[in-house]
Amino acid sequence: MVNREKEEPQFVTDRMLGKLSTWLRILGHDTVYAADIKTTDLEDVESEDRAIVSFAEHKARILLTRDKNLALAARKKGVQCVQIKTDEVMEQLKELLRHHININLEPVPVRCSECNAEIRKVEEGEEEILKEKSYVPVSRIGKQYFWVCDHCGRVYWEGSHWRNMREKLNQLKAVL
Ligand SMILES: [Zn+2]
């Protein structure tokens, strides 16, 4: 199903696809969200569209969008693009698979779901990083692995959130 020999696809997503961006990052895919691309005038939708297309073009990323016009503009420039038709994130992942986009279907701790930077394992002696975060369950510290994003400071671990995601992905795989 997942061909690991092939290079993993990288994405740029429009503002309608925040949740999908989070999921793709959790699955390990380098995913830049439109809102994080700097444009000269953020109020101007057209200039943001142009910036997204040009970003996808220059970084050789697959553009994911809900917007038909943006998809058209991208294809005109020869940018690989998938126009997403549904609202629900699991359905959106299925759409990608139907377009033969080689996405990973296991959550992997390699990328920050907040900011897309790579995350790293928290080493012994670095427990302070964990204790600083009010959302980290103190009882788990020293008992399991944690990962930290050095870019934005977010800490990750395999908790119930991960199990829920795995379950959803298993359901998705079952109907493929
Ligand atoms: Zn981060």
Side-chain angles (χ1 to χ4, degrees), residues 79-137:
V79 169
Q80 191 182 355
C81 174
V82 176
Q83 191 192 338
I84 299 289
K85 304 277 173 70
T86 55
D87 284 322
E88 204 274 316
V89 72
M90 284 295 126
E91 290 301 317
Q92 294 175 338
L93 291 175
K94 272 193 231 166
E95 286 188 60
L96 295 182
L97 293 167
R98 261 184 247 123
H99 281 87
H100 308 290
I101 308 286
N102 182 34
I103 50 167
N104 181 30
L105 291 175
E106 283 288 329
V108 281
V110 298
R111 196 166 293 286
C112 179
S113 61
E114 300 282 322
C115 79
N116 197 43
E118 283 180 24
I119 56 178
R120 64 171 181 87
K121 206 173 259 181
V122 175
E123 304 290 346
E124 233 174 279
E126 288 189 317
E127 287 79 8
E128 279 310 311
I129 293 177
L130 306 175
K131 287 176 189 159
E132 279 169 12
K133 306 283 187 289
S134 58
Y135 55 84
V136 172

Side-chain angles (χ1 to χ4, degrees), residues 55-77:
F55 184 85
E57 188 183 7
H58 291 109
K59 306 279 180 183
R61 285 169 185 263
I62 302 170
L63 173 64
L64 308 179
T65 180
R66 290 281 279 139
D67 183 343
K68 194 175 156 193
N69 291 328
L70 184 54
L72 280 173
R75 290 197 186 108
K76 254 188 219 161
K77 291 260 182 187

